[in-house]
Amino acid sequence: MLAASPASAEPLRWGADSEGGAPFVFSDPKDPRTIVGFEVDLAEALGRELGRTPDFVQNQWDGLIPGLLRGNYDLAMNGLEITPDRQQVIRFSVPYYATSEQLSVRKDESSIRGLADLKGRIAGTLKFSLAQRILDGVGGIEVRSYEGQINAYEDLANGRLDAVLMDWPIAMYYSRPNPALKFTGAPIGHLEYGIGVHPDNAKLLREVDEALLKLIRSGELRRIYDKWSLWNPETDALFSKLVQSPGALQEFTEALSQERSWRERARQYVGYLPLLLGRGATMTLVISVTGMALAVTLGLLLALTYLYGPRPIAWASRAYIEVVRGTPLLIQLYLIFYGLPNIGIRLTPLIAAVTGLGLNYAAYEAENYRAGIQAIPRGQSEAALSLGMTQAQALRHVIVPQALRLVIPPVTNDFIALFKDSSIVSVITMVELTKVYGQLASTYYDYIGVGLLTAAIYFLLGLPFVRLARWAEARMAVDRRIPVPARRRWLGVGSKPAAG
């Protein structure tokens, strides 16, 4: 008999990510203001058993466990796999669902039938998931991780990926209905979902375990899974085990607790360096330097066309600058990476990242150049024209070189900003420094230590560029003190020194 929820009972706050997608927790296509999913039904059933009204709390998936530890909600329930590293940090309920990983490929693909066939190829999955760990453990596979499952399957259909590995329920909802995709190979591995509870809340853990067992015995949990077409042999075997062997509860609910000394932590941090420096920092530098090179070049072109181009081109340049500066970089990256394939343009993650950052920062660099050019006294341009130079020659030899000296400080600041903004490109599957930090932190739940180490790497990587910019400023300041006749000879204005 399900208990009624007393009015005085505290709500049962449970955290999940409604952007994660079906069939877990997602917005109802008929009414986007309402969330649905089999875990929504499960939360409601748990609330009835516990006599508490379920209260959904939105939280990003990779931050569910930190949010639980901060006390943002009572339960974390969003397809969380029960893994030893997570058991070191939080307590898990008895498993409420068991499944496996499913490999998906394009309909015309016949050479991929298992993980071994993926070596030398590109595979996609959800970031920080068990599937990602499986792919990383195989070796020889280029793994691209995604914030949401639908993007991975879209990239697979568009030819950016060779395969996608995700939990079977996700594949059932996003791969099987897609006419361009198909399942391949046997199920991979075994995983069980559990409800996360704060390690200090043993009372709530016992109540949740008891409620889950009641829902299993009454058949309510199976009815929920049948409703969402998720019942499978793995869950059938799991439920039989739980009901027939109550002593197994202890094995599932006991969290592993291992205290580490500072010396052990230091050795662990040293072990992170090859990943942070080799895999993360290198890609961050490549993206930042190439992105800024594009931004500087395009920014100068935009500034010149805005100031000196024909009116239609000048208006187009100004429109570009205002639109790009007025829209978020994240949206621009999504449009470039996920939107362009709809019109037949498919960019690799690296090219999309460089293009997105370069096009975005070009608008800001254009404003820097415009300010620098307009700061040069008009007499400079008039003098160059009076000496027989064309407008283009005056810009090239007189105006732009002086403007470049003026804009070095703001351009340097923009490069440092772009260097840090490169962390955003992780949303389009790029693995750079911040992405590696997130992977390590979410695996070991050490956001402070790994975060400080990553911040130090960012600082040390950016410091040489700051020093280089200051050296360039000082060097150009010396150049400005060179006598005018000498500068004129260098610029090709004339070889005859001025009188006096």
Side-chain angles (χ1 to χ4, degrees), residues 417-468:
L418 182 147
F419 185 68
K420 293 181 290 185
D421 277 351
S422 64
S423 61
I424 300 178
V425 303
S426 62
V427 300
I428 57 172
T429 75
M430 278 303 304
V431 178
E432 38 64 63
L433 185 54
T434 298
K435 182 78 166 184
V436 175
Y437 158 64
Q439 292 172 344
L440 291 172
S442 66
T443 299
Y444 300 99
Y445 301 101
D446 183 4
Y447 286 85
I448 295 179
V450 183
L452 291 174
L453 185 60
T454 306
I457 293 174
Y458 268 112
F459 175 77
L460 293 175
L461 288 176
L463 191 59
F465 295 102
V466 174
R467 298 291 186 187
L468 179 62

Side-chain angles (χ1 to χ4, degrees), residues 68 99 197 308 320:
L68 178 66
T99 186
V197 182
Y308 302 102
Y320 175 89

Side-chain angles (χ1 to χ4, degrees), residues 110-246:
S110 58
S111 61
I112 298 177
R113 298 180 181 177
L115 293 177
D117 299 323
L118 289 177
K119 291 192 175 182
R121 305 201 186 194
I122 306 172
T125 188
L126 279 175
K127 70 174 185 177
F128 308 141
S129 64
L130 181 60
Q132 181 178 350
R133 300 183 192 187
I134 292 174
L135 291 172
D136 288 337
V138 173
I141 303 174
E142 182 180 341
V143 182
R144 294 181 184 171
S145 57
Y146 292 77
E147 299 277 348
Q149 49 258 46
I150 189 171
N151 294 331
Y153 289 111
E154 285 180 348
D155 276 1
L156 176 60
N158 288 329
R160 284 195 179 119
L161 301 174
D162 296 308
V164 168
L165 182 68
M166 289 198 194
D167 297 1
W168 178 81
I170 299 174
M172 281 289 294
Y173 272 75
Y174 290 98
S175 175
R176 177 162 285 181
N178 192 328
L181 307 178
K182 67 178 181 179
F183 286 180
T184 186
I188 298 172
H190 178 82
L191 57 110
E192 296 171 346
Y193 297 155
I195 299 174
V197 182
H198 195 284
D200 297 334
N201 201 341
K203 179 176 179 293
L204 178 59
L205 180 64
R206 288 194 300 271
E207 293 174 349
V208 170
D209 283 342
E210 293 171 0
L212 283 174
L213 287 175
K214 288 181 180 179
L215 293 173
I216 292 172
R217 292 192 182 100
S218 68
E220 176 68 13
L221 207 47
R222 171 154 189 177
R223 284 192 289 272
I224 292 174
Y225 295 150
D226 283 338
K227 170 186 173 181
W228 294 95
S229 302
L230 294 176
W231 185 255
N232 58 18
E234 294 95 334
T235 303
D236 188 19
L238 170 67
F239 283 6
S240 298
K241 177 183 177 181
L242 291 175
V243 173
Q244 294 173 9
S245 307

